[in-house]
Amino acid sequence: MSLDSKTVAHIATLARIRVPEADLPGLASELSGIMTWIEQLNEVDTKGVEPMSGVLARDLPRRADVVNDGGDPNKVLANAPEPAHGFFTVPKVVE
């Protein structure tokens, strides 16, 4: 696939990249080379190959999903601007 300067200018506009007019032909040939390489990848037979997100098959470490209250209400409320009776206080938003 070959790209012309007009197409490269349009791609640059979409990508919000300012490319000087003099650089468009060189960039067009570079992008055409990349597109040719990508077309070669389409020829690779991938039937029977499982999709993967990485080269190593491993599980991520997981912590137990346990609901708790933080353990110490005094520590939880220590940074509250105006705690009252063990709760956070907030401005009234509903009349």
Side-chain angles (χ1 to χ4, degrees):
M1 174 178 202
S2 64
L3 300 173
D4 59 352
S5 295
K6 182 180 176 185
T7 305
V8 173
H10 181 66
I11 292 169
T13 302
L14 292 174
R16 304 285 193 255
I17 300 172
R18 185 176 300 133
V19 178
E21 193 73 32
D23 294 345
L24 288 176
L27 190 57
S29 76
E30 286 183 38
L31 288 176
S32 294
I34 293 170
M35 295 302 290
T36 302
W37 183 76
I38 291 172
E39 287 173 354
Q40 289 176 0
L41 290 177
N42 287 332
E43 297 173 7
V44 176
D45 181 21
T46 57
K47 291 179 184 166
V49 177
E50 292 291 323
M52 54 191 239
S53 61
V55 292
L56 298 175
R58 66 173 114 156
D59 293 327
L60 295 174
R62 298 173 191 235
R63 64 173 174 80
D65 189 14
V66 178
V67 177
N68 61 37
D69 62 357
D72 188 359
N74 294 326
K75 285 184 181 178
V76 172
L77 292 172
N79 291 325
E82 297 178 30
H85 309 291
F87 297 99
F88 289 94
T89 57
V90 296
K92 186 176 182 179
V93 293
V94 178
E95 294 291 330

